[in-house]
Amino acid sequence: MTLLIEEKIEPSPPERSRRRAPKDARAPKPPKPPKPPRRVPRPRKASRPLTPMQATLRMVSALLAILLLGMTLYLMVFSRLTHVIAQDRLNDQLREQLSEGTAPVSEGTFEDVLLQDGAPVAQLRIPQIGVDETVAEGTTSGVLMSGPGHRRDTMLPGQFGTSVVMGRAAAFGGPFGRLQELQPGDKISVVTGQGEHVYEVIGVRYAGDPAPAPITFGEGRLVLVTARGPAFLPSGALRVDAELVSDVQAPGTRATTHAGLPKAAQELQGDASHLWALVFALQALVLVEIGAVWTYRNIGARQTWIVFLPVGLLASLAAADQLTRLLPNLL
Amino acid sequence: MTARRLVRAVAAGVLGVGLVSTVGGGLAAAVEGPSPFPLNVEVEGTTATSTGGAARGSSSSGPGPSTSVEDDTEVNGSGDAAAESPEFEEDDTIDGILAVGGLRMSYRPSGNPFAGVMHVQVTVQNLSDEVIEPTVAFSLTNWLGMQLAESRERSLGKLAPDELRSTEVDLSGVGQWAFVAAHMTLTPPEEVGGVEVSPVTRDRWVLATPWFLLGLVAVAIGGVAVWRYSTRVPAVAAAGAAAGATT
């Protein structure tokens, strides 16, 4: 009887690396364990049902928060875009009218119709402070959203008499934000339907400061007006007086008198004539919020965000646009 | 269920089209190329020939007087009406004595977080017929009203009639207050040409970037990010160990 002993000989490490097992003989890989979460998830808190008072309070707070967010976004970001788009449009209109010789030189159009608020009347250039803006007719809050505005009861720039142009200091591009940097002797150029007119700055003054001597026969003066104080917190009006140093032009007829100038067109006044639009915008915002709550409860959170974030943003921007008209026009 | 999905799809489509058309229209208006019309006007000799055309003459809308300009200088017609055009009711109009400009300001940050210099400049012109010697005082305050720099007084010297002179000053101590206001008070002689003259003030707010505070905030945010990353590793390891124990 022979005893066969099979001795298992372990290959040395270099030998093991040289010999490779055939592909078929490789053992199947065990399934990978699931990836652990990046963080240990917190247990969900059971939410208590809200009382009707708490639910109403939450809804009102959310509405106010959306409105404030929309207002901030509108004043800081979108108002700039609005101003750029409006200036582009006004500049095109004015160039076209100037080339056709139909640019207004009075309060009426070429067809003898009273100029509408927002119609372009002049191009204002102040190189020292980087101003190159198309001036529109009217000085209400809505008109000044598009750029500087010409006060209706005063002459057009370049003409005999005093011309008043108002502009915003901070919102909607703040075209007159650097007006305070102007010094006596700085030049201002204005192009109207009567040609290019050059003014020289007399000085800067605050409302209530002594004004320069009244103009005499055959002279022209330009008064630029904006808000002073911290941005978005106006503490008063700032005026820059400039005298016409180029040839004086004939004054055009003005239908609006100082007594007939609406309060909304005077400096640092808001415009409440579009209050109805604000009411509609706020109603739309409330409807959007109700729709969002309903969708969240009945359909799902993801769908609510996808649909109601842009809609809510649009509604809040529309409300902010109307609210801005109530704020001082030189803001 | 299918109907509900259909309604949702239609609503989403309408919303999408509305949004795209709104934003697209606005952007198209914004990026539209410049107008082919140049921004200049050729004015030949007289500017008003009263032909009814607005650019070619005075408009005849309303009962205004007809006007004309000959040789660019002589004005006939509604002179008085134009001169009487009202400005601002509360203005106290006096014959010009001094013309004062606004404040030109520039901020120079410093390596010292409590320093920082505000450069302030103002220009004054003597509009009177007399030689006058005004003085100018500058000061700097923060948004709480605290004075940041000592009031600095400068004399403008003797200003001859029609002379225009600038003065400037460096006010230090801006620090990290972000919003600071420079104030200027111009004190003329009490009386010029028999007219009493009161001091004139100018002020201006400027944003002085608080670099040190911003740096601190950046470091704090970075620190929090590093801390969260470092605390994440043991949590993940613990979660992995727990997962291994269950399998």
Side-chain angles (χ1 to χ4, degrees), chain A residues 36-40 85 88 91-92 94-96 98-110 112 123 125 128 151 153-155 160-162 164 177-178 180-186 191-195 202-215 217-218 221 223 225 228-230 239 241 247-251 253 258 267 298-299 303 307 310-311 314, chain B residues 4 8 15 19 22 26-27 29-35 37-41 43 47-48 52-65 67-69 72-73 75-76 78-83 85-96 99-105 121-125 127 164 200-205 228 231-232 235-236 239-240 243 247:
Chain A
R38 285 170 68 85
R39 282 180 198 286
V40 182
I85 293 170
D88 197 52
N91 192 263
D92 279 356
L94 185 68
R95 281 168 188 269
E96 199 174 333
L98 288 174
S99 68
E100 290 172 354
T102 57
V105 295
S106 67
E107 208 180 348
T109 64
F110 185 66
D112 287 345
Q123 185 73 20
R125 290 195 187 109
Q128 284 85 357
R151 212 173 85 175
D153 63 327
T154 63
M155 296 299 140
F160 163 51
T162 302
V164 177
R178 292 176 63 198
Q180 216 183 138
E181 290 179 28
L182 288 175
Q183 303 293 335
D186 286 347
V191 175
T192 67
Q194 290 170 307
I202 300 172
V204 175
R205 64 188 163 103
Y206 296 157
D209 280 357
I215 55 167
F217 188 74
R221 182 170 294 163
V223 184
V225 187
R228 71 183 181 96
R239 295 168 193 147
D241 298 290
D247 295 333
V248 69
Q249 302 294 324
T253 310
H258 184 58
E267 58 188 34
N298 292 284
I299 298 176
Q303 291 88 339
V307 174
V311 175
L314 279 180
Chain B
R4 189 178 280 183
R8 268 190 237 163
L15 181 68
L19 277 176
T22 309
L27 287 179
V31 300
E32 203 179 340
S35 168
F37 303 106
L39 194 62
N40 55 41
V41 187
V43 181
T47 55
R56 296 169 190 138
S58 61
S59 165
S60 57
S61 63
T67 57
S68 66
V69 173
D72 293 339
T73 50
V75 179
N76 301 320
S78 65
D80 291 343
S85 96
E87 288 184 46
F88 307 96
E89 281 169 353
E90 79 280 13
D91 275 356
D92 176 19
T93 306
I94 59 165
D95 276 340
V100 187
L103 300 181
R104 271 188 189 155
M105 294 167 69
Q121 185 203 356
V122 71
T123 304
V124 180
Q125 186 177 18
L127 300 176
L164 191 135
V200 176
T201 59
R202 295 281 180 272
D203 44 41
R204 190 167 173 215
W205 286 87
R228 280 175 72 91
T231 53
R232 184 178 69 97
V236 170
T247 55

Side-chain angles (χ1 to χ4, degrees), chain A residues 271-287:
Chain A
D271 185 5
S273 62
H274 291 80
L275 214 56
W276 58 270
L278 175 64
V279 172
F280 278 121
L282 287 176
Q283 282 177 350
L285 201 60
V286 170
L287 283 178

Side-chain angles (χ1 to χ4, degrees), chain A residues 133-186:
Chain A
E133 298 268 324
T134 306
V135 180
E137 184 71 355
T139 47
T140 57
S141 190
V143 174
L144 297 192
M145 286 176 173
S146 61
H150 168 249
R151 212 173 85 175
R152 276 188 175 274
D153 63 327
T154 63
M155 296 299 140
L156 273 179
Q159 296 178 347
F160 163 51
T162 302
S163 177
V164 177
V165 174
M166 297 185 186
R168 290 183 179 269
F172 297 91
F176 280 6
R178 292 176 63 198
L179 215 58
Q180 216 183 138
E181 290 179 28
L182 288 175
Q183 303 293 335
D186 286 347

